[in-house]
Amino acid sequence: MSAEQTKHDAVPHLPAATPGPDGVGQEGSAVSVLAGKVAASFRVGWLRVLHAARWVRNSFARRWRTSLQFRTVVTTLLIASIAVVGVGGYLAGQISNGLFKERLAQAQQESARGATQVQGEFSNASLSDQPRVSTYVRDTLQLLKVGGGDDDRKYLMVKIPGQNSKLNVSSSDSGGVTAAIIPDELRAAVQGDAESQYWQSIDLPTGSAGAHPAVVLGSQVELLNTRYELYMIYDLNTAQETLNYIQSVLWLAGGILLLLIGAIVWYVTRTVVNPVSQAAAVSEKLAAGGLEERMVVRGEDEMARLATSFNKMATSLQDQINALANLSEMQQRFVSDVSHELRTPLTTVRMAAEVLYDAREDFDPINKRSSELLFHQVERFELLLADLLEISRFDAGVADLDAESLDIFSVIHSVIDGASPVADANNCELSVVTRLRNHQCIVEMDSRRIDRILRNLILNAIEHSEGKPVKVFVTADEYAVAVAVRDYGIGMSPSALEHVFDRFWRADVARARTTGGSGLGLSIAMEDARLHDGWLDAWGVPGEGSCFRLTLPRKQGTVISHSPVPLPPDGGGHAAGAGSLSTAPVLTHTGSIGVVGALGSLKAPVVHEPGNNAAGNPGSSNDKAGQ
């Protein structure tokens, strides 16, 4: 056991905690509570730091993406910083090296001159006792302090080991230096060569202040047949302070230069980017319909020419748009006027056609067929005229929405009832699929317009189903209701999808089909959906069928941002059979999207079994008890 250990063991130790039996638990609990509070505070602080860092990162990323000026300034500052650091480091290195070389050359000259002067005095010495030798050496070495340009130099003279002369001194110095600060490599070099001078950089101890950079130069001198190592130590702290001052000035100048570069780049890019930003803002306003917007033209430089050209382009665009608008307005007025003017003679022709059609049994076969053709063509002409008048009302902005709260299933069933004969004629099965409980959904809508939309969609689906099933998907959430009519017939190509809502466009280019209307049905349906602030979307793939989805807000004035039914609702696969529609995604009366419960076919119970229209399915339209 060591003495120190014995000393520590002899000291009486107080126990770390000496509470009574009740105090142990209370103090431990208080420490735990305090530790918990500290941990909670640390966690809250750390979360705030993370939140602030995330906010800074997102703000920087957003500015980087959206601001050309910000990117230019940051990039320029980054490149300028690299250049300033590189040039500053190179200059600092060159200055440091130059200062050291200059100070070393001066020290070498002074050291050589001092050593020569000391050796000259030693060579002329004639001493006979040790005290006089010591005094002579001390007085002679004082010559090393005279004639130099630096007051921080010191000297040290040490006898080379292995000499046994009687008259000698072991060492002599100017104070504050010993042989311990001289590197062994330098001493060995000096001891081995009596003619040369050697030097080496060292750290000169300065007491509690640490150490100063210094350089020590060594050579040999001889006194009374005894050889000595003579060292001159030069403190380079003054040069180091000068170098530190120069470096600080360089870094300060570099920082100021970066700020100036950043300010100049910001001003220059602002001068260039501002007109571009103004052009972008004016372009956005033009795209939004503000055809009167123009850029401000200042001066005669390139930006002024850009603004002038931009304004000319906007004026030309405005003139063309106005011309097209006037032409469109003339066309709309022409269609509206012609449609209205045709109503009176068409009514007369229709009355005559009805008379002939009613009396067709009294005609010969040729006249009978002619009266039937006349009746049906007049009927189609009347439908076309009605569509034209409806389009005219939409174009004139006089179409009104007569909205009331109704169950959309009542409209769907009404439409299916009317479409069932057409479905029977095409051997097409109509069915409704929904996930809504009790099959009821109250919507503020114009039932006449919704009936027209759904009738058009379902009849089109039957026409293009080629005898395959047609399904009507219905679902809703808190804000919107969607009805998707899906068929598995001929489908549509991408080019057809781009024009499916155009006026007078028909999928059958040859117009060979006997069913279908004038080509205005989907255009009118789109306008009806817009009048409800809703959407009408289309999907189709050749050979896999097509799907039209109507999405409406459940309450007027609600802005909808999504549809409760995906498009298509069954994922778009080739699924003519009901199995692909009702297996994987189908559960009954649960809440997730795509979860549906089948109402079943309405064709058989509605048409042929009016007392049992749910076909045994408890989820029929007659079981409505609220959603």
Side-chain angles (χ1 to χ4, degrees):
M1 180 179 294
S2 65
E4 185 176 0
Q5 289 172 330
T6 305
K7 182 179 179 182
H8 281 292
D9 291 340
V11 176
H13 292 281
L14 292 176
T18 55
D22 296 335
V24 173
Q26 293 175 358
E27 184 172 345
S29 177
V31 171
S32 300
V33 171
L34 180 59
K37 289 182 178 179
V38 172
S41 301
F42 178 77
R43 186 167 55 255
V44 171
W46 177 247
L47 290 176
R48 288 179 178 174
V49 170
L50 290 179
H51 178 73
R54 192 179 301 113
W55 180 83
V56 171
R57 184 194 61 187
N58 294 337
S59 299
F60 183 88
R62 184 174 60 257
R63 291 283 295 171
W64 180 267
R65 290 194 310 270
T66 60
S67 175
L68 175 62
Q69 183 180 11
F70 181 77
R71 286 202 302 272
T72 304
V73 172
V74 171
T75 304
T76 304
L77 284 178
L78 182 61
I79 295 174
S81 300
I82 295 174
V84 167
V85 170
V87 173
Y90 174 77
L91 290 178
Q94 290 298 315
I95 293 173
S96 174
N97 191 35
L99 285 175
F100 179 78
K101 286 183 176 179
E102 179 185 1
R103 192 70 185 90
L104 177 62
Q106 182 183 2
Q108 285 176 327
Q109 292 177 1
E110 292 179 2
S111 177
R113 184 171 58 251
T116 302
Q117 188 176 5
V118 168
Q119 183 60 58
E121 295 294 332
F122 284 176
S123 298
N124 297 326
S126 176
L127 304 172
S128 58
D129 55 81
Q130 182 62 37
R132 291 184 61 188
V133 171
S134 299
T135 303
Y136 184 78
V137 168
R138 184 170 57 252
D139 295 341
T140 301
L141 293 181
Q142 293 298 319
L143 295 174
L144 298 176
K145 292 184 175 181
V146 180
D150 192 345
D151 295 335
D152 293 333
R153 60 182 175 178
K154 301 178 183 299
Y155 65 84
L156 171 65
M157 191 178 76
V158 182
K159 187 181 74 173
I160 296 177
Q163 300 179 88
N164 298 321
S165 61
K166 296 180 180 178
L167 298 177
N168 63 74
V169 293
S170 60
S171 66
S172 178
D173 59 79
S174 58
V177 295
T178 63
I181 67 172
I182 308 300
D184 295 337
E185 297 83 359
L186 179 61
R187 291 198 64 182
V190 172
Q191 292 172 4
D193 189 352
E195 303 297 333
S196 302
Q197 184 182 55
Y198 297 89
W199 67 272
Q200 188 168 351
S201 298
I202 63 170
D203 291 329
L204 182 62
T206 57
S208 60
H212 288 171
V215 60
V216 56
L217 298 98
S219 59
Q220 284 191 21
V221 293
E222 183 177 356
L223 174 62
L224 301 176
N225 297 322
T226 302
R227 291 181 290 113
Y228 296 90
E229 306 165 34
L230 178 61
Y231 297 102
M232 299 287 291
I233 300 102
Y234 292 85
D235 190 344
L236 302 182
N237 188 55
T238 303
Q240 181 64 46
E241 291 178 351
T242 302
L243 180 62
N244 292 340
Y245 175 75
I246 293 174
Q247 288 180 344
S248 62
V249 169
L250 284 176
W251 291 122
L252 178 62
I256 295 175
L257 181 62
L258 285 178
L259 292 178
L260 288 176
I261 291 174
I264 292 172
V265 172
W266 177 82
Y267 177 78
V268 172
T269 53
R270 183 174 178 271
T271 305
V272 176
V273 169
N274 265 2
V276 177
S277 300
Q278 184 189 3
V282 173
S283 299
E284 292 175 355
K285 292 179 180 177
L286 284 174
L291 300 180
E292 302 296 332
E293 292 292 334
R294 297 291 184 273
M295 290 183 63
V296 178
V297 181
R298 295 189 180 94
E300 300 177 356
D301 55 7
E302 289 81 359
M303 291 301 172
R305 291 202 297 273
L306 172 63
T308 303
S309 301
F310 185 91
N311 291 341
K312 289 181 179 178
M313 181 191 67
T315 302
S316 175
L317 184 64
Q318 182 183 14
D319 294 340
Q320 294 183 21
I321 291 176
N322 289 336
L324 291 175
N326 292 334
L327 179 60
S328 177
E329 185 178 358
M330 291 177 59
Q331 291 176 342
Q332 292 171 5
R333 189 182 304 116
F334 173 76
V335 172
S336 178
D337 293 343
V338 169
S339 301
H340 280 88
E341 292 300 328
L342 286 178
R343 291 189 65 180
T344 302
L346 180 62
T347 303
T348 304
V349 172
R350 177 177 175 78
M351 293 174 61
E354 287 178 352
V355 171
L356 294 175
Y357 184 78
D358 292 340
R360 66 184 184 282
E361 299 298 335
D362 299 331
F363 299 158
D364 57 76
I366 295 177
N367 289 329
K368 178 182 178 181
R369 179 59 181 161
S370 298
S371 63
E372 291 174 350
L373 290 175
L374 175 63
F375 179 78
H376 292 303
Q377 292 304 318
V378 168
E379 190 176 39
R380 291 191 61 185
F381 188 37
E382 191 175 22
L383 293 176
L384 173 61
L385 192 59
D387 289 343
L388 288 174
L389 288 173
E390 189 66 19
I391 285 290
S392 300
R393 280 191 285 273
F394 281 118
D395 292 338
V398 297
D400 296 326
L401 186 69
D402 185 15
E404 57 182 341
S405 297
L406 290 173
D407 180 13
I408 197 169
F409 279 93
S410 63
V411 180
I412 294 172
H413 293 162
S414 174
V415 172
I416 290 179
D417 288 346
S420 292
V422 181
D424 290 339
N426 288 272
N427 294 322
C428 175
E429 181 183 2
L430 274 175
S431 60
V432 178
V433 183
T434 181
R435 70 179 178 87
L436 298 176
R437 297 177 183 276
N438 300 319
H439 308 145
Q440 186 180 43
C441 180
I442 304 301
V443 183
E444 289 185 7
M445 60 183 177
D446 187 334
S447 59
R448 181 181 65 86
R449 297 184 185 277
I450 299 302
D451 181 282
R452 180 167 58 193
I453 295 173
L454 296 181
R455 190 179 303 279
N456 190 285
L457 298 182
I458 291 175
L459 289 177
N460 279 344
I462 294 172
E463 180 185 359
H464 298 93
S465 66
E466 297 185 331
K468 297 174 182 176
V470 172
K471 292 185 175 293
V472 181
F473 292 84
V474 187
T475 191
D477 57 18
E478 184 180 358
Y479 304 102
V481 60
V483 181
V485 180
R486 175 78 160 97
D487 71 78
Y488 304 91
I490 59 176
M492 289 186 294
S493 64
S495 60
L497 281 174
E498 295 179 359
H499 304 284
V500 70
F501 294 111
D502 292 350
R503 295 178 182 180
F504 298 107
W505 182 89
R506 293 187 61 173
D508 181 11
V509 180
R511 296 178 182 268
R513 292 181 182 273
T514 56
T515 58
S518 59
L520 293 171
L522 288 177
S523 300
I524 295 174
M526 175 67 79
E527 297 294 342
D528 282 334
R530 288 175 178 169
L531 201 60
H532 285 80
D533 294 328
W535 307 332
L536 187 58
D537 305 314
W539 171 90
V541 174
E544 295 187 6
S546 58
C547 181
F548 287 83
R549 181 183 64 184
L550 172 66
T551 305
L552 300 173
R554 295 192 64 172
K555 292 184 179 179
Q556 289 300 306
T558 302
V559 179
I560 55 176
S561 58
H562 67 283
S563 179
V565 173
L567 186 67
D570 55 353
H574 185 78
S580 60
L581 287 176
S582 58
T583 53
V586 174
L587 295 173
T588 303
H589 294 166
T590 58
S592 61
I593 292 294
V595 176
V596 296
L599 277 176
S601 173
L602 297 179
K603 177 182 65 176
V606 171
V607 177
H608 302 293
E609 297 179 16
N612 186 20
N613 59 358
N617 190 335
S620 68
S621 59
N622 287 339
D623 292 334
K624 300 169 185 173
Q627 185 180 347

